Amino acid sequence: MANPLLMKLEQFAHFEEPERRQLDRLLDFPRRSYRAHEVIVAEGAKVRDVHLVLSGMAARSKALANGERQLMAFLIPGDLCDVEVFILDAMDHDIVALADTTCVLIPSGVMEDLLTQSSRLTRAMWWSTMLDSAVLREWMVGHGRRGASERLAHLFYELLVRHRLIGAAGDNTLSLPMTQEELGDATGLTAVHVNRVLQELRAEGLVEWRDKILTVVDPERLRAAGRFQANYLHLMGTDGRGGEVSSRAGDLVSQTSTD
Amino acid sequence: MANPLLMKLEQFAHFEEPERRQLDRLLDFPRRSYRAHEVIVAEGAKVRDVHLVLSGMAARSKALANGERQLMAFLIPGDLCDVEVFILDAMDHDIVALADTTCVLIPSGVMEDLLTQSSRLTRAMWWSTMLDSAVLREWMVGHGRRGASERLAHLFYELLVRHRLIGAAGDNTLSLPMTQEELGDATGLTAVHVNRVLQELRAEGLVEWRDKILTVVDPERLRAAGRFQANYLHLMGTDGRGGEVSSRAGDLVSQTSTD
DNA sequence: CGTTGACTTGACGGAAGTCAAAAGGTGTGG
DNA sequence: CCACACCTTTTGACTTCCGTCAAGTCAACG
């Protein structure tokens, strides 16, 4: 299997052979599989092995006292679930599997070393967590200032770009293994309204979504519908510093200011 | 002036004299003052000196093409504005002064050293950025799943706790130097609706807000009104590991599960 | 074939947005 | 000291987007 973490981090820096091998070795640690809806890391958990998603999909989730919940991030292959626990001491939210998901469990000692070294790899790891924050900020904009259809369109487009970057969406198709209710928990909408908006997006020929496979029919119009601006993803493909990313997602992130 | 950064970081670790002096020396770097509404750091800015808020109040802000904007964080004394730029290369949002604000400009070289050392101070700095993410996630919950009055109540309570921690809210009173419109930009509401909700909160005897001074009249009921749970702030005052924080904010963060 | 979970549809209600105007405050310059 | 402009807050009438509730369809599965 390709190394999704390596592919993701290549947005940030170019790695030489020894570093690539170091990153590959991270995947050799023991793995664990989770069924859909299983809790991967629970709120309150203290420092343990760090979970790196290899396949499937997970989400950061906060449960409210009244049973409602809010998903705050989708974690796809190459994403780290719980680095923050090293610094903050305990998780303040759950990581739940949306579909059947497998993770590598990177031993905490290895992770501790990675975080306290001063290598390019350390920096790449920090880059990954800062990028998570950047995505989170963009979601805030969506929740505060975008309507329901814009929010969904934006989310779909973001997922398309992120899947491209790890080589998992070559043909504008990606695995979206969740229910409409979970999509609502992420966007701050109800399942019913998600359903109605999805029908709009389908009717307008922007996306298809069948059998947990999302097909982006018209990327450019989807991008416009979500008022998507790629700068928050901090890709380096478009400013000439790296070729690999641009070959994977370059056509999705061009800065046409014509919207 | 007391060192708000030190006070804030004391939530995370206890510092010995040499580290305290190191933190104090950070405040000796050149300062700059900004007028209300001035842009402190602009979107797209590359790595420069790091801004640390000393007085006043600032906000992270994303402007949309149609003129709307979303504030994603309030920055109070002791908060760092732009550490992420070291890792992500460019700012993906603005930092704007809400009121007249002064910052220390920590030279990028000094900051670079701080971030790549392996000291307790480095870790505290990372703790600070991870905490920002944690607050952001909590805001997401608010935007997605809390109503307007809950959102405002939660925000006020959070600001109360944070001001307590830097010794700026001894008597349940804090400086809130912004307009209702800006409060709306932060909570995802319109200025008109913010106004109506504020009147509710006032009528119920929860808060007062005159002359840019917010007075929390009834902290416990405000906490309940915002469904506020303090765990996301990762304070260590309540679990017996530190006395300084609990003496500053302990009464605000007790875990009464009776709501 | 009955049960279950996900999706769909419709009627209705409500929280928050929109628009417009008035009222109150503040700083500036004549 | 007044007049003026400008901003912020407040209020009211109306609209709309999305939530709620409830029923119904459909496919998967034991």
Side-chain angles (χ1 to χ4, degrees), chain B:
Chain B
M1 184 198 321
N3 185 336
L5 178 59
L6 171 60
M7 295 184 77
K8 177 185 167 187
L9 295 183
E10 275 176 342
Q11 294 171 73
F12 167 68
H14 182 71
F15 297 103
E16 302 298 336
E17 246 336 292
E19 288 163 330
R20 302 173 85 89
R21 251 177 292 118
Q22 206 177 343
L23 278 167
D24 280 342
R25 248 178 288 128
L26 286 181
L27 304 195
D28 293 336
F29 290 112
R31 301 184 178 189
R32 182 163 165 205
S33 291
Y34 303 85
R35 314 299 308 271
H37 308 122
E38 198 173 342
V39 173
I40 299 177
V41 188
E43 181 177 337
K46 305 266 180 176
V47 71
R48 283 185 305 123
D49 304 337
V50 168
H51 297 71
L52 167 65
V53 178
L54 273 190
S55 72
M57 194 179 268
R60 300 187 188 281
S61 167
K62 279 211 185 199
L64 279 78
N66 63 359
E68 290 183 305
R69 67 174 185 171
Q70 175 69 41
L71 304 186
M72 294 152 302
F74 290 127
L75 303 170
I76 68 176
D79 287 337
L80 292 158
C81 298
D82 46 2
V83 217
E84 58 265 49
V85 92
F86 273 89
I87 308 286
L88 290 181
D89 190 59
M91 290 290 287
D92 56 26
H93 59 278
D94 297 315
I95 308 286
V96 298
L98 296 174
D100 294 353
T101 297
T102 108
C103 296
V104 205
L105 303 192
I106 303 172
S108 51
V110 172
M111 203 62 201
E112 183 74 38
D113 290 347
L114 255 182
L115 293 185
T116 51
Q117 283 168 20
S118 183
S119 67
R120 186 200 305 261
L121 233 56
T122 308
R123 211 158 236 265
M125 214 61 82
W126 283 120
W127 173 84
S128 166
T129 71
M130 299 256 137
L131 189 65
D132 286 348
S133 299
V135 172
L136 203 55
R137 282 192 294 267
E138 189 64 29
W139 280 36
M140 278 276 307
V141 177
H143 281 213
R145 294 291 178 225
R146 281 192 262 260
S149 64
E150 291 177 316
R151 240 131 83 187
L152 275 169
H154 193 281
L155 175 61
F156 288 160
Y157 200 89
E158 177 188 299
L159 285 172
L160 176 60
V161 175
R162 287 174 58 198
H163 278 83
R164 279 277 192 92
L165 294 172
I166 57 168
D171 53 348
N172 290 345
T173 269
L174 59 98
S175 165
L176 193 68
M178 68 186 74
T179 65
Q180 296 183 358
E181 175 146 30
E182 289 164 326
L183 218 41
D185 287 340
T187 50
L189 303 168
T190 57
V192 173
H193 200 63
V194 166
N195 183 280
R196 292 194 242 259
V197 171
L198 281 175
Q199 293 179 53
E200 275 180 41
L201 296 183
R202 271 196 295 255
E204 291 172 21
L206 300 181
V207 298
E208 287 298 320
W209 186 25
R210 259 194 305 272
D211 302 328
K212 308 299 181 194
I213 303 291
L214 180 77
T215 304
V216 176
V217 178
D218 188 333
E220 186 43 38
R221 280 176 53 232
L222 181 66
R223 200 178 86 89
R227 289 198 271 166
F228 182 96
Q229 299 284 130
N231 62 318
Y232 74 98
L233 290 173
H234 295 271
L235 311 177
M236 59 181 202
T238 45
D239 63 17
R241 290 186 302 133
E244 299 171 271
V245 166
S246 62
S247 71
R248 281 187 218 134
D251 58 312
L252 297 178
V253 298
S254 60
Q255 304 285 356
T256 56
S257 55
T258 55
D259 38 292

Side-chain angles (χ1 to χ4, degrees), chain A residues 179-180 195-196 199 202:
Chain A
T179 64
Q180 295 183 358
N195 182 282
R196 292 194 241 260
Q199 293 178 54
R202 271 195 294 254

Side-chain angles (χ1 to χ4, degrees), chain A residues 53-91:
Chain A
V53 178
L54 273 190
S55 72
M57 194 178 267
R60 300 188 188 280
S61 166
K62 280 213 185 198
L64 280 79
N66 63 359
E68 290 183 305
R69 67 174 186 170
Q70 175 69 39
L71 303 187
M72 295 153 301
F74 289 128
L75 303 171
I76 68 176
D79 287 337
L80 292 158
C81 298
D82 45 3
V83 216
E84 57 264 50
V85 91
F86 273 89
I87 309 286
L88 290 180
D89 190 58
M91 289 290 288

